[in-house]
Amino acid sequence: MKNTSGNGKVFIIGLGDDGMAGLTDQSRRIVREAQLIIGSEQTLSRVPELTAEKLAVGTDLREVARRIEADRTTKRVVVLASGDPLFYGVARYLCERVGKEHFEVLPHVSSMQLAFARVKESWEDAYLTSLANKSIDEVVDRVRTAEKVGIFTSEECSPADFARELLNSDVSYFRGYVCENLGSPDERVTQGELAEIAEMSFASLNVLILVRKADQPDRAAAGDRLQLFGNPEDIFAQSRPKSGLITQAEVRAIALAQMNIRPGSVVWDIGAGSGSVAIEAAQIASGGTVYAVEM
C-alpha cells in the first residue's frame, strides 16, 4: 500500500491529556487517516477510539526511528507525543536521526507552558531545563542566579529531591510550585517554601517551577571551587536586579594578571560594580590594601 500523505512525510503530533478532543481540526484529521500510530503506552491510551495499527514504544527511540524508516513510504505514519514534541520531546531526536525533510511537526501546548499558566507567571525570561539529561550540580548552579525556573523532574530526582539539593547548596530564596498531572482530572498545583516541598511526595508527571523572592541576592556557591582569581561568576553574591553585570571570569583573570599585583600592593578599583575584581585583587594583595569605589 502506497503512502498517499505526500512523499513519505511523517507527522509528529503533540497530544494533551484530553486526547483527540484537544487537537485542532487539521491534527485530528491527520491522526484519523493514519495507518500506523507510534507513541508511548501512556500517549496511545489517550486515543482508544482509533482503529489504526498502534506501536507502543518505550524509551528506546532508535526503535521508533527504525520503524519510521521502514514504513514511511508505504504507510501513513503518525507519531503521537505529549505536549510540544520539540520541547524536550521526541521530535528533535527523530529529525536528527531520520532527517528533518521527512517530518511535519504539529505541537500541542507544552506541559511547561501549562505549568507557568497555572501559577500565572510569564516564562520568556525563565531558565527551562530537564533533570533527565542534565547533572543536578549543573542545574543547581544555573538556578542560583535565575529569576524564574521551570524544571521537568525525573524518576531519579523528584521535586522533593531537588528542593533538598537546593537547600543543601544554600539556595533557599525561591518559592516553589509543583504542577502535577496537568490537564488531567486529578491535576494539582502545590506551592510552598523549598523546605516544605522537600518533605512532600508528588506524582511522576510534574513540572517544578521556582520563582525568586523579591530583593533576594544570589548566594555564593560553597565548597572547594574558590580560586585565587578568575573564579566563576556564581561564586560572588550579586544584588538584584543588577546581577549579570559582573566582569566575566576570563576578562577578570587577564586584567589581574596584567596588573602584576604583588602581596603588598595597594590597588584602587574605581567603578567597582559587583566588586569581583577588587575581591580577587585583595586575595592576591593579601598583605596590601584594596580600595573599591562604586556609586
Side-chain angles (χ1 to χ4, degrees):
M1 183 180 297
K2 186 174 177 61
N3 177 2
T4 59
S5 65
N7 300 320
K9 286 282 187 183
V10 175
F11 289 90
I12 306 176
I13 296 180
L15 194 69
D17 284 340
D18 51 356
M20 295 287 284
L23 295 179
T24 64
D25 289 342
Q26 178 191 16
S27 295
R28 197 178 297 117
R29 175 183 57 79
I30 292 169
V31 173
R32 283 175 175 161
E33 293 177 353
Q35 295 167 308
L36 172 62
I37 300 175
I38 302 174
S40 67
E41 290 187 6
Q42 181 182 44
T43 303
L44 294 178
S45 69
R46 300 172 188 166
V47 289
E49 67 272 31
L50 298 178
T51 58
E53 178 188 356
K54 296 175 183 175
L55 174 63
V57 294
T59 57
D60 186 4
L61 296 182
R62 291 172 297 180
E63 177 187 356
V64 180
R66 285 193 295 266
R67 188 65 186 267
I68 289 172
E69 290 172 324
D71 290 353
R72 67 178 180 80
T73 58
T74 58
K75 295 180 180 179
R76 293 191 294 271
V77 181
V78 168
V79 178
L80 291 181
S82 294
D84 183 349
L86 281 166
F87 187 69
Y88 291 100
V90 67
R92 177 179 176 180
Y93 173 83
L94 293 178
C95 287
E96 291 176 351
R97 173 69 183 267
V98 182
K100 293 181 179 180
E101 66 276 13
H102 300 306
F103 295 98
E104 294 287 344
V105 181
L106 300 175
H108 197 275
V109 176
S110 166
S111 56
M112 185 68 75
Q113 288 176 281
L114 283 176
F116 274 90
R118 294 295 187 267
V119 304
K120 301 172 183 64
E121 291 281 349
S122 62
W123 67 317
E124 71 268 11
D125 57 344
Y127 165 54
L128 308 176
T129 192
S130 171
L131 293 175
N133 54 14
K134 294 281 182 67
S135 73
I136 295 175
D137 288 343
E138 177 185 353
V139 176
V140 168
D141 273 351
R142 289 292 305 275
V143 169
R144 187 183 302 279
T145 57
E147 287 288 342
K148 298 175 191 172
V149 182
I151 299 176
F152 290 124
T153 61
S154 66
E155 292 183 3
E156 292 74 25
C157 188
S158 68
D161 295 330
F162 191 69
R164 286 192 288 271
E165 290 287 344
L166 290 174
L167 293 172
N168 290 338
S169 300
D170 201 25
V171 180
S172 59
Y173 38 87
F174 287 90
R175 185 149 186 88
Y177 302 82
V178 182
C179 305
E180 305 168 75
N181 300 322
L182 289 165
S184 300
D186 57 347
E187 175 182 307
R188 184 176 69 161
V189 177
T190 303
Q191 62 173 300
E193 299 293 326
L194 293 180
E196 297 172 325
I197 290 174
E199 300 301 323
M200 298 180 184
S201 298
F202 302 97
S204 58
L205 295 177
N206 67 74
V207 178
L208 172 63
I209 293 178
L210 304 172
V211 179
R212 180 186 287 267
K213 298 176 183 178
D215 302 321
Q216 293 290 314
D218 302 339
R219 289 189 189 146
D224 57 359
R225 300 172 59 202
L226 193 62
Q227 303 167 188
L228 186 61
F229 61 94
N231 286 283
E233 285 84 351
D234 64 5
I235 285 288
F236 300 92
Q238 302 177 56
S239 62
R240 293 285 162 173
K242 293 186 178 181
S243 66
L245 301 180
I246 187 171
T247 304
Q248 293 183 341
E250 296 83 356
V251 176
R252 196 181 330 118
I254 293 172
L256 289 168
Q258 290 294 320
M259 290 169 67
N260 194 26
I261 299 172
R262 302 296 183 181
S265 295
V266 176
V267 180
W268 286 81
D269 186 359
I270 309 298
S274 66
S276 61
V277 173
I279 289 169
E280 293 193 338
Q283 293 197 133
I284 301 171
S286 56
T289 306
V290 176
Y291 299 94
V293 182
E294 174 56 57
M295 62 181 295

